[in-house]
Amino acid sequence: MRQPAKPTNHSALGTLVIVFFFWGFIAASNSILIPFCKTHFSLTQFQSQLIGSAFYGAYFIGSLILFIVSNIAGYDIVNKIGYKRGIIYGLFISVIGALLIIPSANANSFYAILGSLFVVALGFSLQQTCAQPFAIALGDPATGSHRLNLGGGVNSFGTTLGPVIVSLFLFGSIGEKTTDVIYTVKNINNLYIIVAIVFAVVALFFLFSKLPDGKNLEPFEKATKASWALFLMLLLIVVIILIGQLTDTPKLYLLIATMIAVATILFYGNSAAEKKPDGWGAMKFPQLIYGMFGIFVYVGVEVTIDNNFGALLKVPGYFNEAGLSESEISQYISLYWGSLMIGRWTGAISVFSLSAVSKKIAMVIVPFIAFAVILLVNKISGNEIGNLYP
């Protein structure tokens, strides 16, 4: 007999998507911070990409630490503390990272800023590890992907707003060419003080809200061999980054080497797990391996475009004769992330209980609404939007 569908906890879901928003806001803001730091610290293009590596590397490293420690402890740490408290702890870690950026900027230290961003993203790693299954647990598992689509849509709204707002903080106003270093460092301080306060407020809201703890009752399965395989993957990627930093090896070769290293370890792990599953955990499932590799490629492309788009717009002769300044690129970064938002908002239509006809109408109207939001955000911020119409 088919079990009745579990109703969605809409109030809890509404609270959770706030966190999705800030992931997008901060992550997309790196696209403005990267060209700013490149100019301010006189970095090479490769060195400036260490911001993206530090930020997104923290996602992998943070998750891997949780995975390894859970295997050593013999139980799922996240499941023990619960998804709700995991999100709270992750938010407070991000608060610490945001506050660390302030002395790092004052000290005019690029590597200290990298370390601070790494801490912010470590908090994000814990938050995302908890929030994804938490969203599934807040209703019928059959519609869990719908709730994740909704969270992704809100996340994309954050990525659309982030570059524009961060540009306002760094440069005072859109399109204003600011060369006063002290002024911009002060603005970085103001920005991350606000970010830290917002993270803390959201964490306290979660702490005192009546959200369910959120736990998975399935038995824990150790995966020691998988832990070592993923740790080896981390070491290989670090070595490749160091080779790129210390030598003149063509970057295309480094990219190919990274792809080969990741694919080899993932598919070898799956092959070994299918023959002898003990110690490999979920790596015995080929759909997981294909999913991991697919996410690796997708996120890699998405973030690489974002992290290099600003530098491309600054190249004389590419967009205009002189090239754009750091303070003039935010509308195009916003449009890039907003384009992803159009797709995600359209995908989130399935969350709502609409008739077949209403869904078809929404599939036509929602993309235009999303594009209107992109234009509105840029218009309010003082950006010229006429060149976004095409």
Side-chain angles (χ1 to χ4, degrees):
M1 184 176 179
R2 189 176 185 275
Q3 296 294 322
K6 178 182 176 182
T8 300
N9 187 333
H10 290 98
S11 61
L13 182 61
T15 305
L16 184 62
V17 296
I18 296 173
V19 182
F20 278 78
F21 173 85
F22 285 108
W23 296 339
F25 182 94
I26 298 299
S29 301
N30 290 340
S31 54
I32 300 298
L33 193 61
I34 286 172
F36 167 75
C37 286
K38 182 182 178 184
T39 300
H40 180 51
F41 294 105
S42 301
L43 305 173
T44 64
Q45 180 63 17
F46 185 84
Q47 288 173 326
S48 72
Q49 298 306 294
L50 293 176
I51 290 177
S53 298
F55 191 86
Y56 289 97
Y59 281 72
F60 177 57
I61 292 171
S63 301
L64 183 58
I65 290 172
L66 276 174
F67 187 49
I68 291 174
V69 174
S70 292
N71 273 286
I72 294 172
Y75 58 84
D76 186 344
I77 293 175
V78 170
N79 197 44
K80 189 174 182 64
I81 62 177
Y83 301 142
K84 174 183 172 181
R85 287 198 171 272
I87 293 171
I88 293 169
Y89 297 155
L91 283 164
F92 279 123
I93 292 172
S94 294
V95 168
I96 293 171
L99 293 176
L100 285 174
I101 288 178
I102 297 169
S104 301
N106 290 340
N108 204 33
S109 171
F110 173 64
Y111 291 102
I113 289 176
L114 285 182
S116 303
L117 287 171
F118 182 85
V119 175
V120 171
L122 272 181
F124 282 12
S125 174
L126 180 54
Q127 292 167 46
Q128 291 200 15
T129 301
C130 297
Q132 307 280 356
F134 197 24
I136 302 293
L138 291 177
D140 184 358
T143 58
S145 61
H146 298 173
R147 292 187 290 280
L148 288 176
N149 275 338
L150 177 62
V154 175
N155 175 271
S156 288
F157 183 52
T159 61
T160 303
L161 279 177
V164 175
I165 293 177
V166 169
S167 186
L168 283 169
F169 269 95
L170 284 179
F171 307 108
S173 65
I174 300 297
E176 179 180 327
K177 297 187 178 182
T178 305
T179 57
D180 189 334
V181 172
I182 297 176
Y183 180 59
T184 50
V185 167
K186 179 183 176 182
N187 287 351
I188 290 177
N189 293 345
N190 293 338
L191 171 64
Y192 281 96
I193 286 173
I194 293 173
V195 167
I197 291 171
V198 170
F199 283 161
V201 168
V202 175
L204 292 173
F205 182 77
F206 264 83
L207 182 63
F208 294 108
S209 66
K210 295 182 179 179
L211 295 176
D213 289 333
K215 292 187 178 182
N216 189 337
L217 300 179
E218 293 182 9
F220 177 74
E221 180 182 359
K222 277 195 172 186
T224 306
K225 293 177 181 177
S227 299
W228 281 110
L230 295 175
F231 183 69
L232 175 61
M233 181 192 295
L234 172 63
L235 289 180
L236 289 175
I237 292 173
V238 169
V239 168
I240 291 170
I241 290 174
L242 289 175
I243 292 173
Q245 176 73 11
L246 301 175
T247 71
D248 294 326
T249 304
K251 302 304 182 285
L252 178 60
Y253 294 168
L254 299 177
L255 173 62
I256 294 172
T258 303
M259 297 287 289
I260 292 173
V262 172
T264 300
I265 290 174
L266 287 179
F267 289 103
Y268 168 78
N270 176 244
S271 176
E274 287 181 338
K275 295 174 184 175
K276 190 175 180 181
D278 291 345
W280 286 103
M283 288 189 78
K284 61 179 174 284
F285 298 111
Q287 61 266 42
L288 172 68
I289 302 303
Y290 286 117
M292 291 170 73
F293 190 69
I295 290 174
F296 172 81
V297 174
Y298 165 72
V299 175
V301 171
E302 177 186 86
V303 174
T304 300
I305 291 172
D306 170 57
N307 287 184
N308 289 276
F309 194 25
L312 182 62
L313 291 171
K314 290 177 62 181
V315 173
Y318 175 75
F319 188 82
N320 58 19
E321 186 176 348
L324 300 179
S325 70
E326 290 88 352
S327 59
E328 295 174 311
I329 65 177
S330 66
Q331 61 179 312
Y332 304 104
I333 302 296
S334 175
L335 179 63
Y336 168 69
W337 287 106
S339 300
L340 299 177
M341 181 180 74
I342 292 173
R344 287 174 178 167
W345 279 24
T346 306
I349 291 171
S350 58
V351 175
F352 304 98
S353 300
L354 301 174
S355 67
V357 174
S358 297
K359 281 187 178 180
K360 289 180 180 179
I361 294 173
M363 292 287 285
V364 175
I365 294 176
V366 167
F368 286 99
I369 294 175
F371 184 60
V373 169
I374 299 169
L375 297 178
L376 181 62
V377 166
N378 281 280
K379 181 68 174 178
I380 293 174
S381 303
N383 271 333
E384 168 59 45
I385 63 173
N387 48 9
L388 299 183
Y389 291 150

